[in-house]
Amino acid sequence: MRDAKLREIDERAFLRRLDPLLDVYAAAMDPPREQLPGRRTIMERHARYPGFRAFVAERRGALARLPGPLHGLAYGFHGERGQWWHDVVLEALTARGGPEHAATWLEDAFEVAELHVRPDAQGRGLGRGLLTALCEGRPERTVVLSTLEGRPDTPARRLYRSVGMVDLLTDFAFPGGGPRYAVMGGTLPLATGAAAERASQ
């Protein structure tokens, strides 16, 4: 995307920019406004998890050295026991396919916590760029994430399938209520080129 640049940011920069990052989340997900303080707290906690990594997609400006308005964000970390999402999904995968099945996906996993692009910037390859940059060079064996269930052919589901990810859980309800999710996983490095094209068909 010509008017956007991907930039990796560290934990400190992530925490400094929580407000604009939360604005991207809100624009993409349209949650009830009363949920945003809780989401902010979760993002603050995530920034301190092991192996944390984050990218933003910034609008290019005349002053290229200065942070610009954000088109998108993506971040994740190394999953381990004691993390809420990890423990909930581990239990569900164990119930579904046994402990070995769950370990295959979660024993050494990079967990993508959030990947969002503002609605007015979607459909231009930013989501793929953010996901690819986020996962590039990761030492983990697998990558896992959850995405709103919706239809199986939503742009997000198509993107994840195109890099080799498969459904691990569908129509899944996390504790506490809310919408249903699909939990997806793939092996690292992500599929690219012909492999990615085959996966998306």
Side-chain angles (χ1 to χ4, degrees), residues 96-111:
R96 174 71 56 91
E100 288 188 10
H101 172 68
T104 294
W105 289 106
L106 295 183
E107 193 171 73
D108 184 25
F110 179 56
E111 297 183 2

Side-chain angles (χ1 to χ4, degrees), residues 102-144:
T104 294
W105 289 106
L106 295 183
E107 193 171 73
D108 184 25
F110 179 56
E111 297 183 2
V112 177
E114 304 289 352
L115 195 168
H116 303 294
V117 176
R118 287 184 178 276
D120 60 358
Q122 292 175 6
R124 306 176 192 177
L126 271 186
R128 180 178 299 277
L130 285 164
L131 180 63
T132 301
L134 188 65
C135 293
E136 185 175 6
R138 291 296 306 191
E140 291 89 358
R141 191 174 57 80
T142 61
V143 56
V144 291

Side-chain angles (χ1 to χ4, degrees), residues 7-11 14 21 52-56 74-76 134:
R7 183 195 301 270
E8 185 168 7
I9 57 174
D10 62 15
E11 174 189 331
F14 181 88
L21 290 168
F52 176 82
R53 190 181 199 187
F55 278 83
V56 294
Y75 76 86
L134 188 65

